[in-house]
Amino acid sequence: MKDVKKCILCTALGTLLGVSNAASHASTLNAGDTLTITPGVTNFVTTYNQPVVTGGSYFAIDDRGDSTILITDKEPLAQGTAGLVIGATTSPRAIDQWKFLNIPGSDSLAFAASGGTSSGSSAGGLNLSGWTMNWNSQVVSLGGGAWQPVNCSALDCTGHIFTNGNADFAWDGVYGDAYTLNYTATLPANSFVPNAQYYLHLEGFVRPVPLPATGWLFISGLVGVFSFGTYRRQTRGELLGS
């Protein structure tokens, strides 16, 4: 009977550990996976005589129409309450938070993001067609109007061809490792910057959907039963021995 209990416990533990190990690698993002967002970093640069984004996540709006994102166009953004959760729609301030013209804003998803392979190719990119900007009481859909920056070498998007609603997503497929995401869209004619070109750059880490609590409760229960049975056998043996 003792061997049977050990077998049951080892099988259960092996199953959960096997699931956990399998979850450490993925070729495609799964529903519930989260992209954390590393905040944008700004520093005062004398060349531009103003603070500019020198690292981390940011968005940029180019109203010149020259298909170029300058360093002075970049606005830093930080993670919101949850980050970017794959397979879920989100409300404002859940994904990120930022300021534009010193007025708070954030982005949301009108419908869920999906896809995202570790290849980072345009064919396997992340679907962000529900990407929506929320700023100064305006809700601006950014699901279309993709464009190609002429200075991709400075924007970490070299070799990628942007298409409507499709983000350039790069990740090695290992949970806990870093990712980068680049996305382009065009603001609608009735938005606060009509027909301006929009560029998004996110970076951070990929977190897997957590193992359901019921799984760990099940294992804890089995361990408890096994330990109690062992204790009872030891106690009984001591009594009989005395």
Side-chain angles (χ1 to χ4, degrees), residues 20-56:
S20 176
N21 184 61
S24 65
H25 293 75
S27 58
T28 304
L29 292 171
N30 298 302
D33 290 346
T34 299
L35 305 184
T36 68
I37 297 175
T38 300
V41 176
T42 59
N43 287 288
F44 188 90
V45 178
T46 55
T47 303
Y48 306 103
N49 197 34
Q50 67 181 75
V52 295
V53 175
T54 55

CSV table of all heavy atoms in Angstrom, one decimal, residues 20-56:
chain,number,residue,atom,x,y,z
A,20,SER,N,4.8,22.4,-15.8
A,20,SER,CA,5.6,23.6,-15.5
A,20,SER,C,6.8,23.7,-16.4
A,20,SER,O,7.1,24.8,-16.9
A,20,SER,CB,6.0,23.5,-14.1
A,20,SER,OG,6.8,24.6,-13.8
A,21,ASN,N,7.5,22.6,-16.7
A,21,ASN,CA,8.7,22.6,-17.5
A,21,ASN,C,8.3,22.9,-19.0
A,21,ASN,O,9.0,23.7,-19.6
A,21,ASN,CB,9.4,21.2,-17.4
A,21,ASN,CG,10.7,21.2,-18.2
A,21,ASN,OD1,11.6,22.0,-17.9
A,21,ASN,ND2,10.8,20.4,-19.2
A,22,ALA,N,7.2,22.3,-19.4
A,22,ALA,CA,6.8,22.6,-20.8
A,22,ALA,C,6.4,24.0,-21.0
A,22,ALA,O,6.6,24.6,-22.0
A,22,ALA,CB,5.6,21.6,-21.1
A,23,ALA,N,5.8,24.6,-19.9
A,23,ALA,CA,5.4,26.0,-20.0
A,23,ALA,C,6.5,27.0,-20.0
A,23,ALA,O,6.3,28.1,-20.2
A,23,ALA,CB,4.5,26.3,-18.8
A,24,SER,N,7.8,26.5,-19.7
A,24,SER,CA,8.9,27.4,-19.7
A,24,SER,C,9.3,27.8,-21.1
A,24,SER,O,10.1,28.7,-21.3
A,24,SER,CB,10.1,26.8,-19.0
A,24,SER,OG,10.5,25.6,-19.6
A,25,HIS,N,8.9,27.0,-22.1
A,25,HIS,CA,9.2,27.3,-23.5
A,25,HIS,C,7.9,27.3,-24.3
A,25,HIS,O,6.9,26.6,-24.0
A,25,HIS,CB,10.1,26.2,-24.1
A,25,HIS,CG,11.5,26.2,-23.5
A,25,HIS,ND1,11.7,25.7,-22.3
A,25,HIS,CD2,12.7,26.7,-24.0
A,25,HIS,CE1,13.0,25.9,-22.0
A,25,HIS,NE2,13.6,26.5,-23.0
A,26,ALA,N,7.8,28.1,-25.3
A,26,ALA,CA,6.7,28.2,-26.2
A,26,ALA,C,7.1,28.8,-27.5
A,26,ALA,O,7.9,29.7,-27.6
A,26,ALA,CB,5.5,29.0,-25.6
A,27,SER,N,6.5,28.3,-28.6
A,27,SER,CA,6.8,28.9,-29.9
A,27,SER,C,5.8,30.0,-30.2
A,27,SER,O,6.1,30.8,-31.1
A,27,SER,CB,6.7,27.8,-31.0
A,27,SER,OG,5.4,27.2,-31.0
A,28,THR,N,4.7,30.0,-29.5
A,28,THR,CA,3.6,31.1,-29.7
A,28,THR,C,3.1,31.5,-28.3
A,28,THR,O,2.9,30.6,-27.5
A,28,THR,CB,2.5,30.5,-30.6
A,28,THR,OG1,3.0,30.1,-31.8
A,28,THR,CG2,1.5,31.7,-30.9
A,29,LEU,N,2.8,32.7,-28.2
A,29,LEU,CA,2.2,33.2,-26.9
A,29,LEU,C,0.8,32.6,-26.7
A,29,LEU,O,0.1,32.4,-27.7
A,29,LEU,CB,2.0,34.7,-27.0
A,29,LEU,CG,3.3,35.5,-26.9
A,29,LEU,CD1,3.0,37.0,-27.2
A,29,LEU,CD2,4.1,35.4,-25.6
A,30,ASN,N,0.5,32.3,-25.5
A,30,ASN,CA,-0.8,31.6,-25.2
A,30,ASN,C,-1.7,32.6,-24.4
A,30,ASN,O,-1.2,33.6,-23.8
A,30,ASN,CB,-0.5,30.4,-24.3
A,30,ASN,CG,0.3,29.3,-25.0
A,30,ASN,OD1,-0.1,28.8,-26.0
A,30,ASN,ND2,1.4,29.0,-24.4
A,31,ALA,N,-3.0,32.4,-24.5
A,31,ALA,CA,-3.9,33.2,-23.8
A,31,ALA,C,-3.6,33.2,-22.3
A,31,ALA,O,-3.4,32.2,-21.7
A,31,ALA,CB,-5.4,32.7,-24.0
A,32,GLY,N,-3.5,34.4,-21.7
A,32,GLY,CA,-3.1,34.5,-20.3
A,32,GLY,C,-1.7,34.9,-20.1
A,32,GLY,O,-1.3,35.4,-19.0
A,33,ASP,N,-0.8,34.7,-21.1
A,33,ASP,CA,0.5,35.2,-21.0
A,33,ASP,C,0.6,36.7,-20.9
A,33,ASP,O,-0.3,37.3,-21.5
A,33,ASP,CB,1.4,34.7,-22.2
A,33,ASP,CG,1.6,33.2,-22.2
A,33,ASP,OD1,1.4,32.6,-21.2
A,33,ASP,OD2,2.0,32.7,-23.3
A,34,THR,N,1.5,37.2,-20.2
A,34,THR,CA,1.6,38.7,-20.0
A,34,THR,C,2.9,39.2,-20.5
A,34,THR,O,4.0,38.7,-20.2
A,34,THR,CB,1.4,39.0,-18.5
A,34,THR,OG1,0.2,38.6,-18.0
A,34,THR,CG2,1.5,40.5,-18.3
A,35,LEU,N,2.8,40.3,-21.2
A,35,LEU,CA,4.0,41.1,-21.6
A,35,LEU,C,4.2,42.2,-20.6
A,35,LEU,O,3.4,43.1,-20.5
A,35,LEU,CB,3.9,41.7,-23.0
A,35,LEU,CG,3.6,40.7,-24.1
A,35,LEU,CD1,3.5,41.4,-25.5
A,35,LEU,CD2,4.5,39.5,-24.2
A,36,THR,N,5.2,42.1,-19.7
A,36,THR,CA,5.5,43.2,-18.8
A,36,THR,C,6.1,44.4,-19.7
A,36,THR,O,6.6,44.2,-20.8
A,36,THR,CB,6.4,42.8,-17.7
A,36,THR,OG1,7.7,42.6,-18.3
A,36,THR,CG2,5.9,41.6,-17.0
A,37,ILE,N,6.0,45.6,-19.1
A,37,ILE,CA,6.5,46.7,-19.9
A,37,ILE,C,7.5,47.5,-19.1
A,37,ILE,O,7.3,48.0,-18.0
A,37,ILE,CB,5.3,47.7,-20.2
A,37,ILE,CG1,4.3,47.0,-21.1
A,37,ILE,CG2,5.8,49.0,-20.8
A,37,ILE,CD1,3.0,47.7,-21.4
A,38,THR,N,8.7,47.5,-19.6
A,38,THR,CA,9.8,48.3,-19.0
A,38,THR,C,9.6,49.8,-19.2
A,38,THR,O,9.5,50.2,-20.4
A,38,THR,CB,11.2,47.8,-19.6
A,38,THR,OG1,11.4,46.4,-19.4
A,38,THR,CG2,12.3,48.6,-19.0
A,39,PRO,N,9.5,50.6,-18.2
A,39,PRO,CA,9.3,52.0,-18.4
A,39,PRO,C,10.3,52.7,-19.2
A,39,PRO,O,11.5,52.3,-19.2
A,39,PRO,CB,9.3,52.5,-16.9
A,39,PRO,CG,9.1,51.4,-16.1
A,39,PRO,CD,9.7,50.2,-16.8
A,40,GLY,N,9.8,53.7,-20.0
A,40,GLY,CA,10.7,54.5,-20.7
A,40,GLY,C,11.6,55.4,-19.8
A,40,GLY,O,11.2,55.8,-18.8
A,41,VAL,N,12.9,55.5,-20.2
A,41,VAL,CA,13.8,56.3,-19.5
A,41,VAL,C,14.1,57.6,-20.2
A,41,VAL,O,14.4,57.6,-21.4
A,41,VAL,CB,15.1,55.5,-19.2
A,41,VAL,CG1,16.1,56.3,-18.5
A,41,VAL,CG2,14.8,54.2,-18.5
A,42,THR,N,14.1,58.7,-19.5
A,42,THR,CA,14.4,60.0,-20.1
A,42,THR,C,15.6,60.6,-19.5
A,42,THR,O,15.9,60.5,-18.3
A,42,THR,CB,13.2,61.0,-20.0
A,42,THR,OG1,12.9,61.2,-18.6
A,42,THR,CG2,12.0,60.5,-20.7
A,43,ASN,N,16.4,61.3,-20.3
A,43,ASN,CA,17.6,62.0,-19.8
A,43,ASN,C,17.7,63.3,-20.6
A,43,ASN,O,17.3,63.4,-21.7
A,43,ASN,CB,18.9,61.2,-20.0
A,43,ASN,CG,19.0,60.0,-19.1
A,43,ASN,OD1,19.2,60.2,-17.9
A,43,ASN,ND2,18.8,58.8,-19.6
A,44,PHE,N,18.2,64.3,-19.9
A,44,PHE,CA,18.4,65.6,-20.5
A,44,PHE,C,19.6,65.6,-21.4
A,44,PHE,O,20.7,65.2,-21.0
A,44,PHE,CB,18.6,66.7,-19.5
A,44,PHE,CG,18.6,68.1,-20.1
A,44,PHE,CD1,17.4,68.8,-20.2
A,44,PHE,CD2,19.8,68.7,-20.5
A,44,PHE,CE1,17.4,70.1,-20.8
A,44,PHE,CE2,19.8,70.0,-21.1
A,44,PHE,CZ,18.6,70.7,-21.2
A,45,VAL,N,19.4,65.9,-22.7
A,45,VAL,CA,20.5,65.8,-23.6
A,45,VAL,C,20.8,67.2,-24.2
A,45,VAL,O,19.9,67.9,-24.7
A,45,VAL,CB,20.2,64.9,-24.8
A,45,VAL,CG1,21.3,64.9,-25.8
A,45,VAL,CG2,19.9,63.5,-24.3
A,46,THR,N,22.0,67.7,-23.9
A,46,THR,CA,22.3,69.1,-24.3
A,46,THR,C,22.1,69.4,-25.8
A,46,THR,O,21.8,70.5,-26.2
A,46,THR,CB,23.7,69.5,-23.8
A,46,THR,OG1,24.6,68.6,-24.4
A,46,THR,CG2,23.8,69.5,-22.3
A,47,THR,N,22.4,68.3,-26.6
A,47,THR,CA,22.2,68.5,-28.1
A,47,THR,C,20.9,69.0,-28.5
A,47,THR,O,20.7,69.8,-29.4
A,47,THR,CB,22.6,67.2,-28.8
A,47,THR,OG1,23.9,66.7,-28.4
A,47,THR,CG2,22.5,67.3,-30.3
A,48,TYR,N,19.8,68.5,-27.7
A,48,TYR,CA,18.5,68.8,-28.0
A,48,TYR,C,17.9,69.8,-27.1
A,48,TYR,O,16.8,70.3,-27.2
A,48,TYR,CB,17.6,67.5,-28.0
A,48,TYR,CG,18.1,66.5,-28.9
A,48,TYR,CD1,18.8,65.4,-28.4
A,48,TYR,CD2,17.9,66.5,-30.3
A,48,TYR,CE1,19.3,64.3,-29.2
A,48,TYR,CE2,18.4,65.5,-31.1
A,48,TYR,CZ,19.1,64.4,-30.6
A,48,TYR,OH,19.6,63.5,-31.4
A,49,ASN,N,18.7,70.1,-26.0
A,49,ASN,CA,18.3,71.1,-25.0
A,49,ASN,C,16.9,70.7,-24.4
A,49,ASN,O,16.1,71.6,-24.1
A,49,ASN,CB,18.2,72.5,-25.6
A,49,ASN,CG,18.2,73.6,-24.5
A,49,ASN,OD1,18.8,73.4,-23.4
A,49,ASN,ND2,17.5,74.7,-24.7
A,50,GLN,N,16.7,69.4,-24.2
A,50,GLN,CA,15.5,69.0,-23.5
A,50,GLN,C,15.6,67.5,-23.1
A,50,GLN,O,16.5,66.8,-23.6
A,50,GLN,CB,14.3,69.1,-24.5
A,50,GLN,CG,14.4,68.2,-25.7
A,50,GLN,CD,13.2,68.3,-26.7
A,50,GLN,OE1,13.2,69.3,-27.4
A,50,GLN,NE2,12.3,67.4,-26.6
A,51,PRO,N,14.8,67.0,-22.2
A,51,PRO,CA,14.8,65.6,-21.9
A,51,PRO,C,14.3,64.8,-23.1
A,51,PRO,O,13.3,65.2,-23.8
A,51,PRO,CB,13.8,65.5,-20.7
A,51,PRO,CG,13.6,66.9,-20.2
A,51,PRO,CD,13.8,67.8,-21.4
A,52,VAL,N,15.0,63.7,-23.4
A,52,VAL,CA,14.5,62.8,-24.5
A,52,VAL,C,14.6,61.3,-24.0
A,52,VAL,O,15.3,61.0,-23.0
A,52,VAL,CB,15.4,62.9,-25.7
A,52,VAL,CG1,15.3,64.3,-26.3
A,52,VAL,CG2,16.9,62.6,-25.4
A,53,VAL,N,13.8,60.5,-24.6
A,53,VAL,CA,13.8,59.1,-24.3
A,53,VAL,C,15.1,58.4,-24.7
A,53,VAL,O,15.4,58.4,-25.9
A,53,VAL,CB,12.6,58.4,-24.9
A,53,VAL,CG1,12.6,56.9,-24.6
A,53,VAL,CG2,11.3,59.0,-24.3
A,54,THR,N,15.8,57.8,-23.8
A,54,THR,CA,17.1,57.1,-24.1
A,54,THR,C,17.0,55.6,-23.9
A,54,THR,O,18.0,54.9,-24.1
A,54,THR,CB,18.2,57.7,-23.3
A,54,THR,OG1,17.9,57.6,-21.9
A,54,THR,CG2,18.4,59.2,-23.6
A,55,GLY,N,15.9,55.1,-23.5
A,55,GLY,CA,15.8,53.6,-23.3
A,55,GLY,C,14.4,53.3,-22.8
A,55,GLY,O,13.6,54.1,-22.5
A,56,GLY,N,14.1,52.0,-22.8
A,56,GLY,CA,12.8,51.5,-22.4
A,56,GLY,C,11.7,51.7,-23.4
A,56,GLY,O,11.9,51.9,-24.6
